[in-house]
Amino acid sequence: MGCKQNKKESQSEMETAKTESEQNPIEETIFGEMPDGTKVKKFTLKNEAGMEVDVITYGGIITRWTAPDKQGNYEDIVLGFDRLEQYLDGSPYFGALIGRYGNRIAKGKFSLDGETYTLATNDGNNHLHGGEKGFDKVIWNAIPKNTGAGATLELTYTSEDGEEGYPGKLDVKVTYTLTNENELDIQYEAVTDKPTVVNLTQHSYFNLSGQLSKPVLDHEIYLNADTYLPVDGGLIPTGEFREVAGTPFDFKEPKSIGEEIEADNEQLDLGGGYDHCWVLNEGEEDFGLAASAYHPNTGRLLEVYTNEPGIQFYSGNFLDGTLPAKDGGAYGKRSGFCLETQHYPDSPNQANFPSVRLNPGETYSTRTMFRLSTKQ
């Protein structure tokens, strides 16, 4: 009798453990250690379909993201590194959270209420992605949760008043949720104690082929935009809203990245390819399809939904083969592409762009969702 009772208890304990595992599909490990001894944690979000997303507390970086092809084979689809030291040695923002201001601010200066603020000029004469130590290089506090929507990781960080030259103490929360529908839902929130500017985004480089060191020129891109923002020699918007029709910047019908990337076009010459912000058309209920990317050979389809007004499409032009790839090769030119949902570059200095100002008592709140599926 005693043996039967123990067997039942053991079976009950196993079922309980299984239930807890299903409710909290997040594994926590140590990814590495900072020079000051701070441990960098890695959280692996999983869903019922088999998708996995690895996020580390350094920079809120997505280091790995697996997705099935049309045969059901799972492969990593984002560029990144295997070790923390490689991110610390220099990364082109692989998979990172970007802030306080994603993209460029001209000459590293902007004014609010008559006061001029000076930022680092870490991209030629301009300010890029939050400065010398933006949100991509700080340690975020991470709390794994189960919200019922899926495996959820809540990341928080407090940027002190004056950090990287920005005014106001900014409390930031970014929530990653991996749903069972193969969606990564990202919620951005921030509050401030002084008027400031905010523009947060996620900087994953995708290669849907799963062969991360191979060029992405065969990927077919769709952008839900009738206009884009032409730039000057420093990749700062000129202020013009230019029609995409009849130009290599027209992705209203899907076409491969490589189809016109080498066309004789001044804007392509300035960016070394695509590195521009598209002005998104109005979406359904202000949260609509902004972009998609399709890889014909594997059948992988990535769709991007957002309530942001713009999306920066970057074709990996500055990758040069010097960085080691996770698949054993090297990240050569155009081996990854980015679809960064955001407000427009240099908005603090351009009155005709949507405002990026955040005041005390207000909450900055934006949402972007990446959905992966396959088609034959």
Side-chain angles (χ1 to χ4, degrees):
M1 291 291 290
C3 289
K4 288 182 180 178
Q5 186 177 3
N6 288 343
K7 187 175 180 181
K8 286 181 180 178
E9 286 175 355
S10 177
Q11 185 175 351
S12 176
E13 288 171 1
M14 288 173 63
E15 288 173 353
T16 300
K18 183 180 178 184
T19 301
E20 289 176 353
S21 175
E22 288 172 346
Q23 289 176 347
N24 297 285
I26 299 177
E27 290 181 3
E28 179 182 336
T29 54
I30 299 299
F31 187 72
E33 190 173 297
M34 296 292 288
D36 66 0
T38 302
K39 296 282 195 298
V40 172
K41 298 176 182 178
K42 181 180 78 175
F43 294 87
T44 301
L45 284 63
K46 303 179 181 182
N47 70 6
E48 292 175 355
M51 180 172 285
E52 296 186 2
V53 178
D54 288 350
V55 181
I56 61 173
T57 50
Y58 177 75
I61 292 170
I62 294 174
T63 62
R64 184 180 69 106
W65 188 341
T66 68
D69 64 11
K70 58 189 176 185
Q71 266 80 49
N73 303 310
Y74 278 79
E75 292 178 293
D76 192 356
I77 58 164
V78 291
L79 278 58
F81 299 121
D82 293 318
R83 296 182 294 110
L84 176 63
E85 290 75 18
Q86 294 170 299
Y87 287 102
L88 299 180
D89 287 344
S91 166
Y93 305 98
F94 282 152
L97 292 176
I98 304 297
R100 287 187 190 194
Y101 198 93
N103 221 310
R104 295 171 175 86
I105 296 177
K107 298 181 174 59
K109 293 182 184 296
F110 68 92
S111 295
L112 272 182
D113 301 330
E115 186 169 349
T116 298
Y117 295 92
T118 301
L119 313 172
T121 49
N122 60 322
D123 183 59
N125 295 323
N126 302 313
H127 178 79
L128 177 67
H129 291 336
E132 298 291 349
K133 189 179 180 182
F135 291 176
D136 61 297
K137 298 180 182 69
V138 303
I139 302 294
W140 292 71
N141 182 57
I143 303 174
K145 293 185 172 182
N146 191 290
T147 61
T152 299
L153 187 67
E154 184 179 283
L155 298 170
T156 55
Y157 176 70
T158 296
S159 178
E160 297 295 341
D161 183 17
E163 183 173 297
E164 288 295 321
Y166 290 92
K169 176 183 175 184
L170 192 76
D171 291 310
V172 185
K173 180 169 73 174
V174 179
T175 307
Y176 289 120
T177 300
L178 179 62
T179 75
N180 288 324
E181 288 70 45
N182 285 348
E183 300 162 340
L184 186 67
D185 203 326
I186 308 175
Q187 302 269 358
Y188 304 89
E189 296 176 64
V191 294
T192 183
D193 62 357
K194 289 182 185 177
T196 192
V197 296
V198 189
N199 186 30
L200 307 180
T201 191
Q202 219 291 333
H203 209 303
S204 283
Y205 287 67
F206 293 96
N207 188 325
L208 302 181
S209 75
Q211 297 178 295
L212 301 180
S213 56
K214 302 293 185 184
V216 292
L217 298 177
D218 59 345
H219 288 59
E220 297 174 2
I221 300 293
Y222 162 76
L223 297 173
N224 183 15
D226 295 329
T227 56
Y228 77 103
L229 303 177
V231 295
D232 63 19
L235 300 182
I236 297 293
T238 62
E240 177 191 353
F241 291 76
R242 186 175 294 177
E243 295 286 330
V244 301
T247 79
F249 292 81
D250 189 349
F251 288 90
K252 289 185 292 181
E253 293 294 330
K255 69 180 179 189
S256 69
I257 294 174
E259 184 170 326
E260 295 186 278
I261 200 168
E262 300 295 346
D264 183 13
N265 179 278
E266 181 193 17
Q267 285 296 309
L268 288 175
D269 291 342
L270 289 171
Y274 297 109
D275 192 6
H276 296 72
C277 186
W278 273 253
V279 177
L280 293 172
N281 298 332
E282 294 283 330
E284 295 179 14
E285 299 176 357
D286 295 324
F287 185 78
L289 179 66
S292 69
Y294 172 62
H295 186 249
N297 286 354
T298 62
R300 291 189 179 99
L301 174 66
L302 171 69
E303 296 172 296
V304 185
Y305 295 79
T306 191
N307 56 7
E308 289 275 29
I311 190 164
Q312 185 86 5
F313 168 44
Y314 172 53
S315 51
N317 316 308
F318 299 115
L319 298 173
D320 60 6
T322 59
L323 298 174
K326 287 182 285 185
D327 61 9
Y331 294 127
K333 186 175 183 179
R334 298 171 182 157
S335 56
F337 66 89
C338 304
L339 292 168
E340 307 158 60
T341 59
Q342 56 187 248
H343 271 59
Y344 309 153
D346 198 38
S347 290
N349 295 313
Q350 307 220 21
N352 60 329
F353 288 179
S355 175
V356 290
R357 178 178 177 133
L358 181 67
N359 295 312
E362 299 174 344
T363 299
Y364 171 95
S365 179
T366 71
R367 179 187 174 206
T368 293
M369 183 177 71
F370 296 94
R371 174 183 292 158
L372 281 149
S373 59
T374 59
K375 64 179 186 177
Q376 297 299 319

